[in-house]
Amino acid sequence: MTPSEEVLSTACGLAGFPAGGARLLRAHSNSVYLLPSADVVARINGNDHAGLRAQASLALTRWLADNAVPVTEPALDHAVEVAGATVTFWQYHPQPRRERPAARYLGKILRRLHALPAPPFPLPDYAPLIGLTSILASGATATVLSGADRRWLKERAEEAIGEYQGLRTVLGRGMVHGDAYPGNTLWSGDEVLLGDWDEAAIAPRELDLANIVQARRFGAREAGIEEFVHAYGHDPRGHPLFEALVRMRDLHTLTGYIRRAQRGDRIAHTELASRIRSLRDPAVTTRWIST
């Protein structure tokens, strides 16, 4: 039994959900398991998570659902702490055999989210690139990053943070999802829900729009980007802060791959190396792959 499976088994026992037949759906920054006999999804967050604490994400999604924002909702109203990890349980939405929701659905959800008043509880201020800078400062990356790559990433992160802090927001500061991209959307019948609220924060609202444009790295089509900005009701492209946030997103995506590579994931190590090469040399046009 792997460490995450041991955490899952203990957490399920404490929460009253059957762990038998659990199936791993995703293992990146978090581990996500389906509990098929309960129609529940369990999310395991490590202690180094730098966004909104998992417990707070439960309260937030309940409040958002009450305010007509289509979100995934908890199956249990409290988190379970096990061996330094935080486990939350969520309603399961089986996905039909059709394409992932288009970016325009996300644009509509974000438009509704950004129009809401502040929630009745505090959210943390967005800490730019906190995951990447923390892992680079730890000195634990020697097995997956060369000294030159580590220094280069550290310098680029510092430059990006300084640029971000000196630029003005056009859309204003407020509640943001923090990791808004189509991969965090789900079908629920004919409705689309937005999940994974662990990084919700107070930040320039442009932050929630940056992922869609940055997804060009993954082959996102321009038509989809146009549909997204039309659905949201504002085109941020060309604004200095927005363009800085897109560049920051490039760096942000490396964090999970560094962690996975440190755990011995060779696929993640290969993708990490490919992304760094393309960032260091703009002439390299390698398409990024989500693994």
Side-chain angles (χ1 to χ4, degrees):
M1 186 178 289
T2 66
S4 65
E5 288 171 340
E6 292 177 356
V7 168
L8 177 68
S9 178
T10 302
C12 285
L14 293 171
F17 292 116
R23 177 161 57 92
L24 182 65
L25 299 178
R26 185 185 181 195
H28 194 56
S29 297
N30 306 315
S31 295
V32 181
Y33 287 88
L34 170 63
L35 308 178
S37 59
D39 268 349
V40 165
V41 169
R43 289 172 52 87
I44 302 175
N45 297 62
N47 263 343
D48 58 353
H49 185 72
L52 180 67
R53 282 300 177 197
Q55 178 66 55
S57 72
L58 303 175
L60 176 60
T61 49
R62 289 293 194 208
W63 181 79
L64 290 171
D66 289 344
N67 281 273
V69 179
V71 297
T72 52
E73 296 188 57
L76 186 70
D77 282 332
H78 65 272
V80 177
E81 302 288 337
V82 177
T86 302
V87 185
T88 52
F89 297 89
W90 300 82
Q91 296 175 14
Y92 174 53
H93 298 276
Q95 294 304 284
R97 294 183 179 276
R98 60 177 173 176
E99 291 184 359
R100 187 185 298 279
R104 66 179 180 274
Y105 291 99
L106 178 60
K108 292 177 181 178
I109 295 172
L110 293 175
R111 182 174 183 172
R112 188 178 302 179
L113 174 72
H114 292 174
L116 288 177
F121 39 78
L123 292 176
D125 284 335
Y126 170 62
L129 296 178
I130 186 64
L132 180 62
T133 55
S134 295
I135 201 168
L136 292 174
S138 71
T141 59
T143 59
V144 297
L145 293 175
S146 69
D149 281 345
R150 182 175 174 275
R151 287 189 297 273
W152 186 86
L153 288 174
K154 186 174 182 293
E155 290 170 1
R156 297 294 82 73
E158 290 172 351
E159 288 177 2
I161 292 168
E163 184 180 19
Y164 163 81
Q165 292 172 338
L167 293 171
R168 181 180 65 87
T169 172
V170 173
L171 294 176
R173 288 175 57 84
M175 175 175 54
V176 298
H177 177 275
D179 193 22
Y181 75 108
N184 279 331
T185 57
L186 297 169
W187 290 107
S188 179
D190 291 328
E191 185 180 32
V192 175
L193 308 179
L194 179 56
D196 193 355
W197 290 85
D198 293 338
E199 294 188 39
I202 300 299
R205 294 183 177 92
E206 288 92 339
L207 178 68
D208 275 347
L209 311 184
N211 291 0
I212 296 298
V213 172
Q214 191 267 342
R216 289 170 175 155
R217 294 273 191 190
F218 302 91
R221 296 179 297 177
E222 293 301 315
I225 296 173
E226 294 294 336
E227 290 179 356
F228 170 82
V229 297
H230 178 75
Y232 181 77
H234 174 80
D235 188 346
R237 290 170 293 183
H239 297 168
L241 175 62
F242 178 76
E243 298 301 334
L245 287 166
V246 172
R247 293 190 290 273
M248 284 175 60
R249 182 66 187 179
D250 281 340
L251 295 171
H252 173 82
T253 67
L254 304 180
T255 310
Y257 284 89
I258 293 173
R259 289 174 179 150
R260 285 174 54 187
Q262 287 177 308
R263 297 194 296 265
D265 185 329
R266 300 305 304 171
I267 294 175
H269 196 290
T270 299
E271 178 63 14
L272 173 65
S274 176
R275 292 188 186 190
I276 292 175
R277 278 197 303 273
S278 64
L279 289 174
R280 296 198 66 167
D281 183 358
V284 175
T285 57
T286 302
R287 179 171 170 173
W288 293 9
I289 302 171
S290 294
T291 62

